[in-house]
Amino acid sequence: MRALLQRVSEAQVRVDGAVIGQCGPGLMVLVCAMQGDTEAQVEKLAAKVAKCRIFHDENGKMNKSVADIGGSALVISQFTLAADTRSGNRPGFSSAAAPEDGKRLYELFTQKLGEVVPVQTGEFGADMKVSLTNDGPVTIWMDV
């Protein structure tokens, strides 16, 4: 499983013009299930995201997690994180999990992360419009 974390002061996702998910200070997390991913890998990634210390402490050092600051997360499924750009000009996505597996693993990820911090989500497979205010900016790539 692959995730792209962005530290945000706010983020929201819209589907058909309606806001369906949002978060205040915390994380916007784009996630992609890859072929062969297991539930154990999903749980490991959710734990890593929850514990990732990218928020400032009282000394201005990145030493706190989203849970430590009382933050929340907006989790968006994004199969394009599986893009293979090694040849040609059109990315390939064959390493992404099949949609039914991707949805199941995405939902497990949001459930596990939601056990640690408040989580809102996008809509799996929908045409989503995501807006956010990066804080820093701080962007972290994670694979498990």
Side-chain angles (χ1 to χ4, degrees), residues 1 33 56 60 68 90 144:
M1 184 155 235
H56 292 119
D68 293 335
R90 183 174 180 206
V144 292

Side-chain angles (χ1 to χ4, degrees), residues 17-83:
V19 174
I20 64 165
Q22 59 190 349
C23 74
L27 295 173
M28 211 271 299
V29 184
L30 304 173
V31 294
C32 177
M34 309 293 283
Q35 283 188 15
D37 280 350
T38 65
E39 290 181 4
Q41 288 173 300
V42 173
E43 291 179 22
K44 181 178 178 181
L45 182 62
K48 283 181 72 169
V49 168
K51 294 175 185 174
C52 186
R53 298 184 314 173
I54 60 173
F55 295 89
H56 292 119
D57 64 15
E58 49 284 339
N59 297 315
K61 302 288 185 192
M62 287 198 299
N63 203 26
K64 291 190 173 192
S65 70
V66 65
D68 293 335
I69 66 153
S72 58
L74 176 61
V75 180
I76 306 291
S77 62
Q78 189 170 358
F79 82 94
T80 59
L81 290 179

